[in-house]
């Protein structure tokens, strides 16, 4: 960030008393600070990082996929799929787009309703900081949180810069993904401290790994991408599949990874819009002297075609192959059951599944039912979006909800 963008850092030392303390200056925390500040509440935002919105900065390949125009409850995973409805309905993609437009930030739809900045994800961070400045919210970066206590008047937060107090406390410290970028799991510890249930957490939107034997056989495919449908039970995603040195990745795999559990299989269908069996039969009729690699190579990258033919132990010219062999080859391309050995974990996961049980929260405000004045928002809550701008939309919407009430 440019230096002038973070001037609102508390230069005069930590403000001891305010109406609202927000812990976490990520997407959700900044949104909540803006909302509460605009209502006339005095707001202090604390973050241990040296810059706000670090995940926004690296998101969407540096262009931030800041929302998805199709975002709705169906795009989110949660033990209670109804919980997210209220917040998503009261702060919609159109509301966020209006904010982006009012700051003159150019954007475009890339695919499947995914909106990206034309220039840089930093434009979104600058926008949020400008809005925070207009709302008189004060940001303190580089501030370690050492403890939170409930007091008669609200909450007391002890930090490396001293302590501060407020009647409302909004916890927006995100999930466990990418610890290198400052993820700490503080929200889960605070939830437990206040007696709230935390549902099992696991990495989501993450590449899947393969066991060494399978990995060795697909090693030559590393770097190859193809359109695919990946299925797990009744859930399926049609997007790109990417072979990597560790296993399988690409948007289709990241999407299904949020549904996949250790020990489960996923079913891969490459080029799902093409009838591969029909293509092979036609190829046999038109040119029986070609190899199946060549026939399949009309549709798939050559190395992938060769791998699939060798895997089915098929040899000879197309004319020599009975239809049964062609059908087996087609099934190998479009009905390939793979059992991943694991995932790449929080090191590369885009999000954390599970988290603070929504049963503990009021869905309109994100306030905890048991501890009035205490709010949890964003990724730390058990609401996780698909890949494609949904997770930011949840951060904006849940942040907005808390900002309206805290
Ligand atoms: P977020 O993690 O953004 O913010 C938490 C804040 O709390 C951070 O500033 C952190 O420093 C602070 N914090 C943590 N622990 C603390 C502690 N102990 N003390 C003080 N402060 C603490 N989503 C999407 O919709 N579109 C996209 O393009 C992408 N792209 C993307 C790329 C990559 C590489 C990743 C890892 C993730 C994405 N995502 C995404 C997901 C998206 O980044 C994520 O869902 C939101 O950032 C969650 O917002 P939160 O504000 O909840 O947490």
């Amino acid at each position: 960030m440019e230096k002038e963008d973070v001037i609102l850092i508390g230069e005069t030392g930590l403000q001891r008393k305010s109406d609202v303390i927000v812990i976490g200056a990520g997407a959700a925390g900044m949104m909540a600070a803006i909302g509460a500040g605009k209502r006339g509440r005095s707001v202090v935002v604390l973050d241990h990082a040296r810059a706000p919105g670090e995940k926004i900065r690296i998101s969407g390949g540096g262009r931030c996929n800041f929302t998805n125009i199709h975002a709705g409850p169906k795009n989110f995973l949660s033990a209670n799929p109804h919980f997210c409805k209220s917040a998503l309905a009261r702060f919609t993609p159109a509301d966020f787009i209006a904010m982006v437009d009012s700051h003159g930030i150019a954007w475009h739809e890339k695919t499947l309703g995914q909106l990206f900045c034309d220039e840089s994800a930093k434009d979104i961070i600058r926008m949020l900081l400008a809005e925070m400045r207009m709302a008189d919210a004060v940001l303190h970066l580089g501030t370690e949180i050492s403890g939170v206590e409930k007091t008669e008047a609200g909450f007391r937060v002890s930090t490396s810069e001293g302590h501060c107090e407020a009647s409302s406390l909004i916890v927006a410290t995100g999930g466990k993904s990418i610890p290198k970028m400052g993820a700490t799991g503080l929200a889960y510890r605070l939830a437990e401290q206040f007696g709230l249930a935390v549902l099992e957490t696991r990495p989501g939107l993450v590449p899947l790994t393969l066991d060494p034997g399978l990995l060795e056989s697909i090693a030559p495919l590393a770097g190859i991408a193809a359109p695919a449908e990946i299925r797990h039970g009744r859930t399926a995603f049609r997007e790109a599949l990417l072979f990597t040195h560790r296993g399988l990745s690409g948007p289709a795999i990241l999407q299904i990874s949020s549904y996949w559990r250790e020990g489960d299989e996923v079913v891969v269908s490459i080029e799902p819009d093409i009838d591969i069996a029909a293509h092979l039969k036609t190829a046999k009729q038109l040119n029986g002297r070609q190899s199946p690699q060549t026939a399949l190579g009309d549709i798939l990258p050559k190395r992938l075609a060769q791998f699939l033919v060798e895997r089915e132990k098929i040899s000879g010219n197309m004319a020599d192959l009975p239809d049964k062999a062609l059908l087996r080859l087609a099934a190998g391309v479009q009905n390939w059951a793979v059992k991943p050995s694991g995932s790449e974990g929080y090191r590369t996961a885009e999000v954390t599944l599970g988290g603070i049980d929504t049963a503990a929260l009021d869905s309109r405000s994100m306030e905890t039912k048991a501890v009035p004045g205490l709010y949890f928002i964003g990724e730390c809550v058990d609401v996780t979006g698909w890949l494609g701008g949904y997770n930011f939309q949840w951060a904006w919407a849940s942040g907005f909800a808390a900002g309206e009430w805290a």
Side-chain angles (χ1 to χ4, degrees):
M1 297 300 300
E2 305 297 320
K3 195 165 184 295
E4 68 268 22
D5 289 328
V6 286
I7 289 284
L8 67 166
I9 298 170
E11 293 153 325
T12 52
L14 188 59
Q15 189 179 320
R16 300 286 162 214
K17 278 201 192 306
S18 61
D19 296 323
V20 181
I21 295 171
V22 180
I23 308 181
M30 289 198 274
M31 198 66 184
I34 293 162
K38 284 188 174 168
R39 283 174 41 240
R41 304 278 278 161
S42 57
V43 183
V44 165
V45 184
L46 310 173
D47 200 302
H48 66 166
R50 292 218 311 269
E54 279 292 88
K55 280 199 182 158
I56 299 175
R57 184 177 59 78
I58 59 156
S59 67
R63 292 236 161 93
C64 185
N65 177 194
F66 56 80
T67 192
N68 191 299
I69 50 174
H70 305 306
K74 64 180 186 312
N75 308 113
F76 293 85
L77 291 85
S78 172
N80 176 3
H82 302 292
F83 177 81
C84 61
K85 285 181 180 171
S86 171
L88 290 175
R90 280 177 304 117
F91 192 84
T92 64
D95 292 322
F96 194 75
I97 293 166
M99 189 189 273
V100 169
D101 286 344
S102 74
H103 286 259
I105 299 171
W107 52 269
H108 60 280
E109 179 182 345
K110 199 168 171 190
T111 175
L112 303 169
Q114 301 168 5
L115 304 191
F116 286 76
C117 297
D118 282 1
E119 299 288 331
S120 165
K122 289 183 190 167
D123 289 339
I124 298 293
I125 305 175
R126 287 191 193 101
M127 173 190 85
L128 294 166
L129 289 173
E131 291 278 332
M132 278 169 69
R133 198 175 287 127
M134 285 191 275
D136 285 332
V138 180
L139 173 61
H140 292 271
L141 296 169
T143 305
E144 299 292 337
I145 310 298
S146 49
V148 172
E149 284 164 69
K150 179 87 188 80
T151 61
E152 223 165 84
F155 300 87
R156 180 187 163 102
V157 179
S158 304
T159 81
S160 51
E161 313 303 311
H163 67 264
C164 51
E165 293 182 11
S167 53
S168 296
L169 175 65
I170 302 178
V171 182
T173 51
K176 295 182 179 173
S177 11
I178 324 239
K180 254 191 180 167
M181 295 203 62
T184 59
L186 175 66
Y188 312 121
R189 291 198 296 280
L190 290 177
E192 277 162 6
Q193 176 188 333
F194 286 100
L196 313 180
V198 177
L199 303 182
E200 181 206 358
T201 52
R202 58 196 175 88
L205 301 181
V206 64
L208 297 175
T209 53
L210 299 173
D211 67 40
L214 186 53
L215 198 57
E216 202 187 327
S217 71
I218 69 154
L221 304 181
I224 291 180
E229 179 180 275
I230 315 289
R231 282 196 307 274
H232 175 268
R234 282 192 291 174
T235 307
F237 289 95
R238 277 190 185 204
E239 286 183 66
L241 160 73
L242 174 69
F243 293 90
T244 74
H245 290 290
R246 294 192 195 89
L248 302 175
S249 187
I253 290 289
L254 300 187
Q255 297 280 31
I256 214 73
S257 73
S258 295
Y259 293 83
W260 176 82
R261 297 279 184 154
E262 245 8 71
D264 291 353
E265 275 182 358
V266 295
V267 179
V268 176
S269 172
I270 300 169
E271 289 289 1
D273 293 325
I274 298 176
D275 184 340
I276 299 277
H279 169 80
L280 291 175
K281 282 182 191 169
T282 309
K284 179 177 164 180
Q285 278 163 10
L286 293 180
N287 180 2
R289 286 165 65 185
Q290 67 181 319
S291 70
Q293 284 90 329
T294 305
L296 206 51
D298 290 342
I299 297 171
L300 305 182
K302 303 273 177 281
R303 266 187 292 155
L304 180 56
Q306 185 178 347
F307 165 80
L308 292 163
V309 170
E310 285 170 4
R311 197 184 58 188
E312 297 304 326
K313 300 190 173 46
I314 286 172
S315 55
N317 288 340
M318 289 296 277
D320 304 329
L321 298 175
D323 282 357
K324 225 169 77 186
L326 298 184
L327 289 177
R328 200 172 82 234
L329 179 56
V333 181
Q334 296 195 314
N335 200 15
W336 175 30
V338 194
K339 193 185 270 193
S341 58
S343 83
E344 289 189 10
Y346 290 118
R347 191 178 58 81
T348 59
E350 281 200 12
V351 284
T352 304
L353 290 151
I356 291 145
D357 189 351
T358 58
L361 307 178
D362 181 324
S363 65
R364 286 168 310 161
S365 61
M366 305 293 135
E367 186 175 20
T368 59
K369 293 172 186 167
V371 189
L374 177 63
Y375 298 73
F376 288 88
I377 56 172
E379 192 178 325
C380 64
V381 176
D382 171 36
V383 174
T384 306
W386 290 357
L387 183 78
Y390 301 101
N391 284 296
F392 278 137
Q393 188 56 36
W394 170 247
W396 315 135
S398 60
F400 179 83
E404 288 290 282
W405 291 79

